[in-house]
């Protein structure tokens, strides 16, 4: 069987979608060997040992990324005449011959459900294109039961058409967890949807009582985050010095910070899954999460939960861990166990009708 995978999201992004796509492709190829796989992307993806067709993005041509996806890539794919084409992130595949089956990975519907957390172009594109993409697809792959539920409610398609594939975490470096220090860690783009402002407020209040407590945030600068930066700017220098924000880190350094964290906090207001939660659990870090449906699905009883945007509630959960060594140890063990539960979940691509 010939399978073409469209992977622009791997080379154009460096967030959860990027990592989901890489580990998903690896798992499929390992699980279902003996088939002909081809990846189409804008740059070579060194992590993937698969035949690759590179169609570069010309930064001097406006909207060239989309032009490629709508015209150039379909022309090349149709000539290849594969059995399946799989688009790894929301938009596409476009203009594919009718005899070629198509699958689309939809990571979440937050631009539809929570438009206030996305730029207007993303919201508009989702509203114009997504219904048609879903209905034309022969299969939809998504990353959680929560996302599946929202896709069904939005598109009214049959549930059998949607396949849930939970992500896993691939650790690139063998770095054991170092149980020392008092680092609170967060990973996520700095924007309202990720709500690091609530985390900052909780941390600042705690820092007056815990001198050795520090906060590290790994996340690129997003949008509509003036309140976040203004709050930081107004902090006393001694308090601000306890907060470190990394715009970008190599995978090795991300894992190094994970190995050193005492507590991981994910205060996000809307997610399709939340890959950083799984990354933290892979290191057995106690996890504190905003109480939204998807976080309950991801972490079950392996986390402490606080009401979204409630900095005082978050502060209390963090202090519970800081004061109770037994609670911290139990949460660390349960976090590690929850990650192992994900490791045991097999990849599901039954819609392809291929066997190992």
């Amino acid at each position: 069987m010939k399978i073409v995978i469209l992977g622009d999201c791997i080379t154009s992004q460096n967030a959860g979608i990027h990592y989901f796509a890489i580990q998903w492709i690896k798992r499929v190829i390992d699980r279902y060997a003996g088939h002909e796989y081809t990846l189409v992307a804008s740059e070579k993806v060194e992590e993937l040992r698969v035949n690759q067709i590179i169609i570069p993005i010309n930064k001097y041509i406006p909207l060239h990324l989309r032009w490629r996806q709508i015209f150039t890539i379909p022309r090349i794919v149709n000539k290849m005449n594969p059995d399946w084409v799989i688009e790894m992130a929301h938009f596409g595949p476009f203009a594919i011959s009718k005899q070629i089956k198509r699958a689309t990975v939809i990571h979440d519907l937050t631009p539809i459900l929570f438009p206030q957390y996305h730029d207007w172009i993303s919201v508009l594109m989702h509203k114009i294109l997504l219904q048609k993409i879903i209905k034309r697809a022969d299969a939809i792959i998504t990353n959680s039961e929560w996302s599946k539920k929202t896709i069904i409610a939005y598109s009214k398609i049959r549930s059998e058409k949607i396949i849930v594939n939970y992500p896993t975490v691939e650790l690139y470096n063998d770095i054991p967890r170092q149980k020392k220090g008092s680092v609170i860690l967060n990973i996520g783009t700095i924007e309202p949807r990720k709500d690091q402002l609530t985390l900052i407020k909780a941390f600042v209040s705690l820092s007056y009582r815990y001198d050795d407590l520090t906060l590290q945030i790994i996340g690129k600068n997003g949008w509509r985050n003036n309140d976040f930066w203004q709050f930081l700017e107004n902090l006393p220098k001694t308090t601000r010095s306890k907060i470190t924000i990394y715009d970008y880190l190599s995978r090795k350094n991300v894992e190094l910070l994970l190995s050193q964290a005492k507590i991981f906090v994910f205060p996000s207001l809307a997610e399709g899954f939340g890959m950083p939660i799984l990354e933290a659990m892979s290191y057995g870090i106690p996890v504190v999460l905003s109480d939204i449906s998807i976080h309950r699905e991801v972490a079950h009883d392996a986390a402490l939960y606080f009401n979204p945007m409630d900095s005082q509630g978050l502060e209390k959960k963090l202090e519970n861990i800081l004061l109770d060594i037994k609670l911290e140890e139990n949460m660390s063990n349960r976090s590690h166990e929850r990650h192992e539960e994900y490791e045991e979940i097999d990849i599901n691509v039954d819609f392809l009708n291929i066997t190992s």
Side-chain angles (χ1 to χ4, degrees), residues 99-118:
Q99 70 269 19
I100 302 172
K101 291 187 176 295
R102 61 184 73 187
T104 301
V105 179
I106 296 180
H107 298 268
D108 60 69
L109 289 185
T110 57
I112 301 293
L113 300 175
F114 305 97
Q116 68 272 29
Y117 298 140
H118 293 269

Short mmCIF file of all heavy atoms in Angstrom, two decimals, residues 99-118:
data_model
loop_
_atom_site.label_atom_id
_atom_site.label_comp_id
_atom_site.label_asym_id
_atom_site.label_seq_id
_atom_site.Cartn_x
_atom_site.Cartn_y
_atom_site.Cartn_z
N GLN A 99 -10.30 8.81 -6.43
CA GLN A 99 -9.97 7.41 -6.12
C GLN A 99 -8.96 7.28 -4.98
O GLN A 99 -8.73 6.18 -4.48
CB GLN A 99 -9.42 6.70 -7.37
CG GLN A 99 -8.05 7.13 -7.83
CD GLN A 99 -8.10 8.26 -8.84
OE1 GLN A 99 -9.12 8.96 -8.93
NE2 GLN A 99 -7.03 8.43 -9.59
N ILE A 100 -8.36 8.39 -4.59
CA ILE A 100 -7.39 8.37 -3.49
C ILE A 100 -8.14 8.70 -2.20
O ILE A 100 -8.81 9.72 -2.11
CB ILE A 100 -6.27 9.41 -3.72
CG1 ILE A 100 -5.54 9.14 -5.03
CG2 ILE A 100 -5.29 9.40 -2.55
CD1 ILE A 100 -4.55 10.24 -5.41
N LYS A 101 -8.00 7.84 -1.19
CA LYS A 101 -8.65 8.09 0.08
C LYS A 101 -7.86 9.12 0.87
O LYS A 101 -6.65 9.23 0.73
CB LYS A 101 -8.81 6.79 0.87
CG LYS A 101 -9.80 5.83 0.24
CD LYS A 101 -10.05 4.64 1.14
CE LYS A 101 -11.12 3.73 0.55
NZ LYS A 101 -12.44 4.38 0.49
N ARG A 102 -8.57 9.86 1.71
CA ARG A 102 -7.93 10.95 2.44
C ARG A 102 -8.27 10.90 3.93
O ARG A 102 -9.39 10.56 4.32
CB ARG A 102 -8.33 12.30 1.86
CG ARG A 102 -9.80 12.59 1.92
CD ARG A 102 -10.15 13.89 1.23
NE ARG A 102 -10.07 13.78 -0.22
CZ ARG A 102 -10.18 14.81 -1.05
NH1 ARG A 102 -10.37 16.02 -0.57
NH2 ARG A 102 -10.10 14.63 -2.34
N ALA A 103 -7.27 11.21 4.74
CA ALA A 103 -7.45 11.32 6.18
C ALA A 103 -6.89 12.66 6.64
O ALA A 103 -5.90 13.15 6.09
CB ALA A 103 -6.76 10.17 6.90
N THR A 104 -7.51 13.23 7.66
CA THR A 104 -7.06 14.51 8.20
C THR A 104 -6.92 14.39 9.72
O THR A 104 -7.80 13.84 10.38
CB THR A 104 -8.08 15.62 7.88
OG1 THR A 104 -8.23 15.72 6.47
CG2 THR A 104 -7.60 16.96 8.43
N VAL A 105 -5.80 14.89 10.24
CA VAL A 105 -5.60 14.94 11.68
C VAL A 105 -6.11 16.29 12.20
O VAL A 105 -5.65 17.34 11.74
CB VAL A 105 -4.11 14.78 12.05
CG1 VAL A 105 -3.93 14.87 13.57
CG2 VAL A 105 -3.56 13.45 11.53
N ILE A 106 -7.06 16.24 13.11
CA ILE A 106 -7.58 17.46 13.72
C ILE A 106 -7.20 17.42 15.20
O ILE A 106 -7.66 16.56 15.95
CB ILE A 106 -9.10 17.58 13.55
CG1 ILE A 106 -9.44 17.69 12.06
CG2 ILE A 106 -9.65 18.77 14.33
CD1 ILE A 106 -10.91 17.81 11.76
N HIS A 107 -6.36 18.34 15.60
CA HIS A 107 -5.82 18.32 16.96
C HIS A 107 -6.79 18.95 17.96
O HIS A 107 -6.82 18.53 19.12
CB HIS A 107 -4.48 19.05 16.99
CG HIS A 107 -3.45 18.40 16.13
ND1 HIS A 107 -2.58 17.46 16.62
CD2 HIS A 107 -3.16 18.52 14.81
CE1 HIS A 107 -1.78 17.04 15.64
NE2 HIS A 107 -2.12 17.67 14.53
N ASP A 108 -7.56 19.93 17.54
CA ASP A 108 -8.55 20.54 18.42
C ASP A 108 -9.41 21.47 17.59
O ASP A 108 -9.11 21.78 16.44
CB ASP A 108 -7.89 21.31 19.57
CG ASP A 108 -7.00 22.44 19.09
OD1 ASP A 108 -7.55 23.44 18.55
OD2 ASP A 108 -5.77 22.35 19.23
N LEU A 109 -10.50 21.91 18.20
CA LEU A 109 -11.40 22.88 17.56
C LEU A 109 -11.40 24.20 18.33
O LEU A 109 -12.39 24.92 18.32
CB LEU A 109 -12.82 22.33 17.47
CG LEU A 109 -13.06 21.18 16.48
CD1 LEU A 109 -14.55 20.84 16.44
CD2 LEU A 109 -12.56 21.52 15.10
N THR A 110 -10.29 24.52 18.98
CA THR A 110 -10.28 25.75 19.78
C THR A 110 -10.52 27.02 18.95
O THR A 110 -11.12 27.96 19.47
CB THR A 110 -8.97 25.88 20.59
OG1 THR A 110 -7.84 25.84 19.71
CG2 THR A 110 -8.87 24.73 21.60
N PRO A 111 -10.08 27.10 17.68
CA PRO A 111 -10.42 28.31 16.92
C PRO A 111 -11.92 28.47 16.70
O PRO A 111 -12.41 29.59 16.52
CB PRO A 111 -9.70 28.09 15.58
CG PRO A 111 -8.57 27.17 15.90
CD PRO A 111 -9.14 26.24 16.93
N ILE A 112 -12.67 27.35 16.72
CA ILE A 112 -14.12 27.40 16.58
C ILE A 112 -14.79 27.61 17.93
O ILE A 112 -15.68 28.45 18.09
CB ILE A 112 -14.64 26.09 15.95
CG1 ILE A 112 -14.01 25.87 14.57
CG2 ILE A 112 -16.17 26.11 15.86
CD1 ILE A 112 -14.40 26.86 13.52
N LEU A 113 -14.35 26.85 18.93
CA LEU A 113 -14.98 26.88 20.25
C LEU A 113 -14.58 28.10 21.07
O LEU A 113 -15.37 28.61 21.87
CB LEU A 113 -14.62 25.61 21.02
CG LEU A 113 -15.06 24.29 20.39
CD1 LEU A 113 -14.53 23.12 21.21
CD2 LEU A 113 -16.57 24.21 20.26
N PHE A 114 -13.33 28.53 20.90
CA PHE A 114 -12.80 29.65 21.68
C PHE A 114 -12.11 30.65 20.75
O PHE A 114 -10.89 30.84 20.83
CB PHE A 114 -11.81 29.14 22.74
CG PHE A 114 -12.37 28.08 23.64
CD1 PHE A 114 -12.13 26.74 23.39
CD2 PHE A 114 -13.16 28.43 24.73
CE1 PHE A 114 -12.65 25.76 24.23
CE2 PHE A 114 -13.69 27.46 25.56
CZ PHE A 114 -13.43 26.11 25.31
N PRO A 115 -12.86 31.30 19.88
CA PRO A 115 -12.24 32.20 18.90
C PRO A 115 -11.49 33.37 19.54
O PRO A 115 -10.59 33.94 18.93
CB PRO A 115 -13.44 32.69 18.08
CG PRO A 115 -14.64 32.48 18.95
CD PRO A 115 -14.32 31.25 19.75
N GLN A 116 -11.86 33.71 20.78
CA GLN A 116 -11.20 34.83 21.46
C GLN A 116 -9.73 34.55 21.74
O GLN A 116 -8.96 35.48 22.03
CB GLN A 116 -11.92 35.18 22.76
CG GLN A 116 -11.82 34.13 23.87
CD GLN A 116 -12.92 33.07 23.80
OE1 GLN A 116 -13.43 32.76 22.72
NE2 GLN A 116 -13.28 32.52 24.96
N TYR A 117 -9.32 33.29 21.66
CA TYR A 117 -7.93 32.93 21.94
C TYR A 117 -7.09 32.75 20.68
O TYR A 117 -5.95 32.29 20.76
CB TYR A 117 -7.88 31.64 22.76
CG TYR A 117 -8.56 31.74 24.10
CD1 TYR A 117 -9.33 30.69 24.59
CD2 TYR A 117 -8.44 32.88 24.89
CE1 TYR A 117 -9.96 30.78 25.83
CE2 TYR A 117 -9.07 32.98 26.11
CZ TYR A 117 -9.83 31.92 26.58
OH TYR A 117 -10.46 32.02 27.80
N HIS A 118 -7.64 33.08 19.52
CA HIS A 118 -6.93 32.89 18.26
C HIS A 118 -7.03 34.15 17.40
O HIS A 118 -7.97 34.94 17.55
CB HIS A 118 -7.51 31.70 17.49
CG HIS A 118 -7.28 30.39 18.17
ND1 HIS A 118 -6.19 29.60 17.93
CD2 HIS A 118 -8.02 29.73 19.11
CE1 HIS A 118 -6.25 28.51 18.68
NE2 HIS A 118 -7.35 28.57 19.41
#
